[in-house]
Amino acid sequence: MDLVEYQGKQYFARYGIAVSPGQVANTVAEAEAAASRLGYPVVVKAQVQVGGRGKAGGIKLADSSAEVKEHATAILGMNIKGHVVRRLWIEKATDIAKEYYASFTLDRSAKLHLAMVSARGGVDIEQVVEEDPDAIARLHVNPIDGVTLEAMRDLVERAGLDEQALDGAAELLVKLYRCYIEGDADLVEINPLVLTTDGEVRALDAKVTLDDDAAFRHPEWAEIENMSVLTERERLAKSKGLSYIPLEGTVGIIANGAGLAMSTVDMVSQVGGTAANFLDVGGNADEDGMASALEVINLDPSVKAILVNIFGGIVRCDEVARGIVSALDRVDITSQIVLRLDGTNVAEARKIISERASEKIISELTMLSAARRAVELAGAPKPQGGTEL
Ligand code: GDP
Ligand code: MN
């Protein structure tokens, strides 16, 4: 799960990483109250799970209550790359001397952790990678060895941080590594990591992704109000126990089992289409699970066709078919559904579908033909390619 900035900073603070004092505000009045408690100047910051808030106008300095009011009014409700701002973080403003970048993440291909530090912070790091890859100093970290203060000192020096910032940045990176490992994060990123005019090194932004599989050993994660920042679709999927990941395409996908769901996503791209999501109904491919899955996909405005790919092993196909039929009664599904069902009780399932839901549902016998049909319906250029399965 991705944390928003203030949650990330609260996570950092537990590990002793310096952050600025601040307060959450859900309304303009709360923003003004928070600012007067913190003292001016403050920064009014949109809390959405997407970068580039500054450029989009979601980060504003305010010198007075009137300015806080003006900025909070403008930012609350603002749409930043598809994320509507519902919450603000009011933070005591920092006097910045320099902006840097620092992160730890997992380098899956190297099977090691990767630290990245750059003296070019505050800007989009992808852009730095493109324009000037040498501006980023990298260090692979073996999880068994961990990091030392010396290694971090060397890294920040290699990255070209200013002399004044070296000790503070190295110490902060040691803490950040602990936060990343003990905090079970997949990513901790600070952009910008700043050197203040007082010579202190501090995290001015926070991007933290927690490893959901470690939730069992972090009862405190329950407090992180993640639900409030999920989209309606993600919230619904989560509450129904569906494993749902939105993607950028137009073909909505429902499959049972992560493997089958991934193959379905692959097959859609293989025939020239794009998947709108990954959705694994898992062991919930029964009536209620199928209805919920269709409801979730139906909430996605970019979906132009739905591809349902179910293999009935433990779950019986007739139950799946009944689920689809009942979902059609329950919700007004806007897109056409292409259905590929196989496995236990498939004959009965086909009968149910042809009797009760024929015009909304197109049945196909193979994964490939189903993918082609769905891509065609989604309006992608002529589908081709693929291997018959
Ligand atoms: P992002 O645009 O979503 O990455 O949001 P950030 O939290 O990184 O803020 C964007 C930029 O706003 C930073 O790079 C800073 O230049 C500026 N900014 C944020 N907080 C402060 C602050 O306390 N003081 C000053 N002077 N600038 C700030
Ligand atoms: Mn940032």
Side-chain angles (χ1 to χ4, degrees), residues 140-152:
H140 277 113
V141 179
N142 187 316
I144 293 169
D145 302 336
V147 301
T148 60
L149 186 59
E150 294 68 41
M152 294 300 99

Side-chain angles (χ1 to χ4, degrees), residues 46-330:
Q47 296 301 293
V48 283
Q49 287 162 317
V50 63
R53 293 165 300 160
K55 256 192 227 159
I59 310 274
K60 294 282 184 197
L61 268 161
D63 269 319
S64 63
S65 179
E67 279 183 27
V68 171
K69 188 174 181 177
E70 181 194 332
H71 296 316
T73 307
I75 297 173
L76 279 169
M78 182 183 272
N79 188 319
I80 302 179
K81 300 180 189 164
H83 298 250
V84 178
V85 182
R86 303 262 174 243
R87 182 168 282 186
L88 302 171
W89 173 245
I90 311 299
E91 184 171 282
K92 198 160 175 56
T94 301
D95 279 328
I96 303 173
K98 281 290 177 62
E99 301 194 27
Y100 311 125
Y101 171 94
S103 69
F104 281 102
T105 188
L106 187 64
D107 182 347
R108 288 172 201 277
S109 52
K111 298 179 183 160
L112 293 168
H113 297 303
L114 177 66
M116 289 196 277
V117 178
S118 176
R120 284 188 57 183
V123 290
D124 195 4
I125 197 67
E126 281 78 21
Q127 194 185 326
V128 177
V129 170
E130 223 165 81
E131 289 172 9
D132 187 7
D134 294 339
I136 299 164
R138 293 176 169 79
L139 178 72
H140 277 113
V141 179
N142 187 316
I144 293 169
D145 302 336
V147 301
T148 60
L149 186 59
E150 294 68 41
M152 294 300 99
R153 182 73 164 64
D154 178 64
L155 178 65
V156 295
E157 206 169 330
R158 253 198 305 128
L161 268 53
D162 302 82
E163 186 64 38
Q164 249 190 304
L166 295 178
D167 289 336
E171 279 163 30
L172 186 142
L173 277 173
V174 171
K175 293 174 185 165
L176 188 63
Y177 183 75
R178 241 194 86 209
C179 173
Y180 170 70
I181 295 293
E182 290 173 24
D184 279 311
D186 284 334
L187 167 75
V188 287
E189 184 185 71
I190 306 177
N191 189 19
L193 172 73
V194 298
L195 173 65
T196 67
T197 47
D198 303 335
E200 196 204 342
V201 177
R202 180 184 303 178
L204 220 61
D205 191 5
K207 190 171 174 197
V208 174
T209 305
L210 300 175
D211 177 0
D212 293 323
D213 291 331
F216 71 93
R217 57 184 171 216
H218 292 280
E220 78 280 8
W221 286 3
E223 287 163 36
I224 300 171
E225 298 169 71
N226 186 55
M227 294 301 259
S228 63
V229 290
L230 296 178
T231 64
E232 192 187 349
R233 272 176 275 149
E234 287 169 308
R235 205 165 22 237
L236 177 64
K238 198 167 180 179
S239 70
K240 299 285 185 181
L242 305 169
S243 174
Y244 171 78
I245 297 159
L247 301 168
E248 317 264 89
T250 56
V251 179
I253 286 172
I254 300 173
N256 65 332
L260 189 61
M262 277 192 271
S263 324
T264 311
V265 169
D266 284 349
M267 183 130 311
V268 164
S269 17
Q270 210 177 3
V271 299
T274 49
N277 64 277
F278 167 98
L279 195 161
D280 168 18
V281 286
N284 296 330
D286 55 8
E287 193 167 318
D288 199 47
M290 286 308 296
S292 307
L294 282 167
E295 265 178 84
V296 168
I297 302 247
N298 200 44
L299 285 169
D300 182 351
S302 34
V303 166
K304 301 288 179 260
I306 301 173
L307 172 54
V308 179
N309 188 9
I310 303 286
F311 184 80
I314 294 167
V315 66
R316 303 187 329 260
C317 291
D318 56 309
E319 224 180 307
V320 175
R322 266 183 222 106
I324 295 171
V325 170
S326 92
L328 291 178
D329 291 341
R330 237 157 82 174

